[in-house]
Amino acid sequence: MILRHAPKTVSEIPPRYAGIFSHGVEISAPARFLFLSGQIGVNTRGITQQGFEAQTRQAMDNVEALLHAAEMQQDDILRVIYYVTDAANLKTLSNLRQERWQSDSGPAVTTLVVAGLAAPDLLVEIEVTACQGISDQAQSGAF
C-alpha cells in the first residue's frame, strides 16, 4: 500500500502544489519499484534540446518513455528530484509540472539549484522513483 503523508505537524501543502507534491510517501507492502537515472533534455538522436523549457519537456518525455517501457505510468511515480542550474527557471519548472504531471496525489519532491550538471549545456535533470503493484491512499494525517 502507498500512503502519502501530509500531517498537520508540517507546513500545509498549498492547493497549487497538492497534485504535484507530497511531504512523504510510505510503502508498506511488496511491490515493483523502478529507479530511474537522472533524465536530461537529450532526444533519441543524442541531440540536446535548446533552452530550459525544451530540455525539461524532453527530460519529462524520457521519464515517460522509461515508465512506459516498464509498463508503468505517471501515477506510479513516488519521488521526483529536479536539478536545475538557474533559479530563474523555477517558475517555468513549476508550470511544466502543473501542465504535465498534475495528479490527485503528488509524489514526494525535492528541487535543487545546482552549479552545474554533467555537461555545460545541460540545464535540468530529473530523477524518478516509481512503484507499482500496491494500492494507493490519497493522503494521511498520520505521524
Side-chain angles (χ1 to χ4, degrees):
M1 172 175 26
I2 300 172
L3 185 62
R4 298 173 195 277
H5 292 285
K8 302 255 187 248
T9 54
V10 296
S11 64
E12 182 177 343
I13 298 171
R16 172 174 166 75
Y17 298 106
I20 61 170
F21 175 84
S22 291
H23 281 298
V25 178
E26 176 185 348
I27 301 168
S28 59
R32 222 176 106 224
F33 287 90
L34 176 65
F35 298 90
L36 299 184
S37 296
Q39 296 302 301
I40 55 177
V42 175
N43 68 20
T44 57
R45 296 185 316 269
I47 298 170
T48 302
Q49 302 302 303
Q50 296 302 304
F52 181 81
E53 184 171 343
Q55 284 192 25
T56 303
R57 287 184 185 281
Q58 181 65 60
M60 290 174 143
D61 288 347
N62 295 345
V63 166
E64 291 168 1
L66 288 162
L67 288 170
H68 179 74
E71 298 181 356
M72 290 187 175
Q73 57 191 350
Q74 175 189 329
D75 288 342
D76 295 322
I77 296 174
L78 293 181
R79 179 164 175 70
V80 183
I81 303 173
Y82 297 95
Y83 302 91
V84 299
T85 60
D86 187 345
N89 290 319
L90 292 175
K91 176 78 170 154
T92 300
L93 177 62
S94 179
N95 291 340
L96 289 169
R97 289 173 58 201
Q98 293 284 339
E99 174 189 319
R100 296 276 300 263
W101 289 354
Q102 177 75 22
S103 69
D104 290 338
S105 55
V109 173
T110 300
T111 303
L112 302 166
V113 178
V114 297
L117 295 168
D121 58 339
L122 296 177
L123 306 174
V124 63
E125 186 167 335
I126 303 172
E127 184 180 335
V128 167
T129 302
C131 178
Q132 188 180 65
I134 51 182
S135 63
D136 190 359
Q137 294 182 9
Q139 295 231 347
S140 164
F143 287 19

